[in-house]
C-alpha cells in the first residue's frame, strides 16, 4: 500500500484523460486551489451522491477559488455516461492503471462489510496554489462529505 499524504507534501503530479478523452493535468490548475477527490466507481449510488454534491456546490467552491477534479479507475467512456446521465459539472478523469490512486494513497486495503478488500479508498485532497497538499481526508463518507469540506475550509 502506498504512503498516505500529509499536509505540506507535494501533491503527486498527474495527467489523465477526462470523460471526453482530453488530457487534464494537475499543473493546468497552478495558481488555483484544487480539490482532488478519489471515488471507487461511476454510476454507483454513493459515488453518484458525492459527484452530485460537488456539482451542486461547484459555483460556491469556484467562487472561493477552488477547482474540483474527480478521479476513479473507470474508463473515459463510462465517465462520459456518468456525467451525461447525472448532469455533472465537475471534471472527471480516468485512472484505469490506478497509478495516480496509488500515488495519493487512495488505493489499497480497506474494510468493506466486515471484510478486508483491496480497492479505492474514498479520499479527498485540497491542493494549494503551489501544488502542495493543504488537507488530506481518507476513508470519507460519500454523503455529507462536501458539506464538511466547505465547513472545514470556511467557505
Amino acid at each position: 500500500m502506498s504512503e498516505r499524504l500529509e499536509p505540506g507534501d507535494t501533491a503527486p503530479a498527474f495527467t489523465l484523460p477526462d470523460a471526453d478523452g482530453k488530457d487534464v493535468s494537475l499543473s493546468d490548475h497552478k495558481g488555483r486551489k484544487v480539490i482532488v477527490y478519489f471515488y471507487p466507481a461511476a454510476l454507483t449510488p454513493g459515488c453518484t451522491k458525492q459527484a452530485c454534491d460537488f456539482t451542486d456546490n461547484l459555483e460556491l467552491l469556484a467562487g472561493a477559488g477552488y477547482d474540483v477534479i474527480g478521479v476513479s479507475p473507470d474508463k473515459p467512456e463510462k465517465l462520459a455516461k456518468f456525467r451525461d446521465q447525472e448532469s455533472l459539472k465537475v471534471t472527471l478523469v480516468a485512472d484505469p492503471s490506478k497509478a495516480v490512486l496509488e500515488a495519493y494513497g487512495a488505493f489499497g486495503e480497506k474494510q468493506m462489510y466486515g471484510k478486508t478488500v483491496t480497492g479505492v479508498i474514498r479520499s479527498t485532497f485540497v491542493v494549494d496554489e503551489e501544488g502542495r497538499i493543504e488537507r488530506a481526508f481518507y476513508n470519507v463518507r460519500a454523503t455529507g462529505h462536501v458539506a464538511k469540506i466547505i465547513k472545514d475550509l470556511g467557505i
Side-chain angles (χ1 to χ4, degrees), residues 51 55 58 68 83 86-92:
T55 291
L58 198 57
V68 179
R83 177 196 62 203
E86 300 298 334
S87 302
L88 300 173
K89 302 283 183 242
V90 295
T91 300
L92 301 174

Side-chain angles (χ1 to χ4, degrees), residues 123-142:
S123 310
T124 302
F125 303 88
V126 178
V127 180
D128 70 15
E129 299 89 342
E130 301 302 312
R132 295 211 174 284
I133 300 291
E134 192 175 289
R135 294 172 196 251
F137 305 97
Y138 287 95
N139 296 310
V140 302
R141 297 222 171 272

